[in-house]
Amino acid sequence: MKKLLLFTLSLACFPLTQCNTMLKDQQAIALREQAISAEPKGNYYIGRRYHVPATRFWGYLRKPGSSWRDAQLVIMDESVKLAPDRYPEVGSSPSFAFDDNYEYRIYGRYTGKTAYEPNSNLKLPVFRLTGYELIDKNPGWLFKPSERRSDEAVSLRPIIMPPPLSSETR
């Protein structure tokens, strides 16, 4: 009987901890979006490398000043410039996707084409890379502080961001 009571109490408390986590996520996202809104406008994108083994997409891109909520997962067209992680995969060179979760200033343009990425079963926009600059090797979370990442599938998507804070909760 005691075990049943403890189990019932733990189930009852679970939603409360989730709400607390969501509120903390919303507060952190609101602070970050304030900083993002101050980014200088320009002819570039902010890119976050996102690697899932066996996939061929590059990561997420967003316009400067725009939320990660608006970011797009892209496949890079490297016909002009190779992506930052393109080193020989032998000897002491960094391995493929060594830059997972690095943040870059990305130059180039969307080609207007899409490409099918079979291992994730996604049709993604193609972005022709012309240049990049490293911004941060450890920028932290991508969509929300409590996100859980999986190497098995695309687990980080803008949809996991909680709704923006309402004016009553700020």
Side-chain angles (χ1 to χ4, degrees):
M1 182 68 175
K2 193 174 186 179
K3 287 182 182 180
L4 180 61
L5 179 62
L6 285 173
F7 178 72
T8 305
L9 282 173
S10 67
L11 284 179
C13 291
F14 182 74
L16 296 175
T17 61
Q18 295 299 55
C19 290
N20 189 31
T21 299
M22 184 187 298
L23 180 59
K24 287 180 181 178
D25 281 354
Q26 288 174 308
Q27 291 169 337
I29 290 167
L31 285 173
R32 184 176 69 178
E33 289 193 351
Q34 283 178 346
I36 286 173
S37 68
E39 291 172 342
K41 303 297 183 234
N43 192 19
Y44 66 94
Y45 293 84
I46 302 296
R48 184 73 71 90
R49 181 71 164 105
Y50 176 52
H51 176 68
V52 174
T55 59
R56 296 296 173 237
F57 50 74
W58 182 81
Y60 285 97
L61 295 182
R62 66 173 175 79
K63 293 179 180 175
S66 295
S67 169
W68 281 108
R69 190 179 310 280
D70 302 321
Q72 289 190 294
L73 190 58
V74 301
I75 292 177
M76 286 288 188
D77 171 347
E78 298 175 295
S79 61
V80 175
K81 174 83 173 167
L82 295 178
D85 69 339
R86 293 293 187 204
Y87 288 102
E89 295 182 38
V90 294
S92 61
S93 295
S95 64
F96 179 72
F98 73 91
D99 62 344
D100 184 44
N101 202 41
Y102 284 23
E103 194 164 279
Y104 293 93
R105 185 169 288 113
I106 300 289
Y107 299 95
R109 65 175 183 79
Y110 285 95
T111 64
K113 297 178 182 178
T114 59
Y116 178 67
E117 201 297 303
N119 292 322
S120 62
N121 195 29
L122 296 171
K123 278 183 79 174
L124 300 170
V126 176
F127 185 88
R128 182 167 294 131
L129 180 67
T130 59
Y132 61 86
E133 298 168 20
L134 178 63
I135 296 173
D136 193 346
K137 287 184 176 183
N138 190 17
W141 47 275
L142 180 56
F143 295 115
K144 66 179 185 174
S146 64
E147 64 195 15
R148 299 222 188 277
R149 187 183 178 120
S150 168
D151 281 341
E152 305 295 315
V154 180
S155 59
L156 301 185
R157 306 197 75 168
I159 193 73
I160 71 171
M161 289 179 78
L165 280 173
S166 66
S167 57
E168 302 92 53
T169 55
R170 284 188 190 172

